[in-house]
Amino acid sequence: MTTPTPTPTVVLVHGAFADASSFARVVPELLADGLKVLAPAVPNRSLTGDADYIASVLRAIPGPVVLVGHSYGGAVITVAGAEENVKALVFLAGYALEEGESLGELQGRFPDSELASALVYTPFPVAGSDEPGTDVTVETDRFPAIFAADVDQDLAAVLAVSQRPLAGAAFAEAAPVAAWKTKPSWGLVSSADRTINPDVERYGYQRAGMTTVEVDSSHLVMLAHPKKVADLIREAVRSLATE
């Protein structure tokens, strides 16, 4: 008699300039399937610090996890996905880093997207240091077109003024591990992405040997095409049942 595979928890990791509400249209799809879902807040302070935080969330979850990362969240799950209970990885318009590689290094291999000319740099105080950190955000008036061109524009305007900044230090920090080397992985390319050059996404996914799909979408594919995103996550979930 075979033991039934435990129902996995899908953990949704948001990226830079966004928060967990970016998954608001995907979560109901997954809950309707009877899946357990968790969408934690990522500090967006440093790659290893953010990955350590997400890893602590994962360790508190009993049973298997399908770990999903959007944009910068892809870099976070590249590292945090090494946790033992993570059984599959799903990258959404995301960075799939190689071990020892930084966001800046991967992105630097390709022409800049429109995002590069729309970034705003703002100092913030760092506890215990006389040197400030640097928060990176997107120009509010350019955010909708660059980040969310095919999302309802009233919603895009709200997202533009409620950005969760990313600390500039995260761009230069190397990934200490690449979980996709040992975990089955899926990748979604947003082919109309103006935030990350789609070729950056394609390159990372192909290098990792991922199962890859392309969607004609802006960067915020979870809000623009939630059913297609949910379908890719479902594919990863189903893979666990065949292990």
Side-chain angles (χ1 to χ4, degrees), residues 25 143-145 147-160 218 220 223-226:
R25 297 188 67 194
F143 181 101
F147 217 72
D150 52 357
V151 173
D152 177 88
Q153 289 303 283
D154 288 339
L155 174 57
V158 173
L159 299 173
S218 71
L220 279 177
L223 288 172
H225 300 279

Side-chain angles (χ1 to χ4, degrees), residues 110-222:
F110 300 88
D112 284 341
S113 68
E114 289 181 51
L115 176 71
S117 66
L119 294 176
V120 178
Y121 302 92
T122 307
F124 69 89
V126 177
S129 173
D130 294 332
E131 293 295 319
T134 302
D135 263 343
V136 184
T137 53
V138 183
E139 290 177 14
T140 303
D141 60 344
R142 296 182 65 189
F143 181 101
I146 291 175
F147 217 72
D150 52 357
V151 173
D152 177 88
Q153 289 303 283
D154 288 339
L155 174 57
V158 173
L159 299 173
V161 301
S162 57
Q163 297 177 50
R164 191 180 188 102
L166 177 65
F171 289 96
E173 200 172 353
V177 65
W180 49 259
K181 291 189 171 185
T182 57
K183 310 289 174 85
S185 303
W186 285 257
L188 184 150
V189 176
S190 288
S191 60
D193 203 329
R194 296 161 71 179
T195 298
I196 298 177
N197 183 332
D199 285 339
V200 174
E201 301 165 22
R202 293 184 184 105
Y203 174 82
Y205 300 167
Q206 290 166 3
R207 177 173 64 181
M210 294 184 196
T211 301
T212 303
V213 300
E214 299 219 4
V215 177
D216 183 14
S217 175
S218 71
H219 191 59
L220 279 177
V221 63
M222 310 90 70

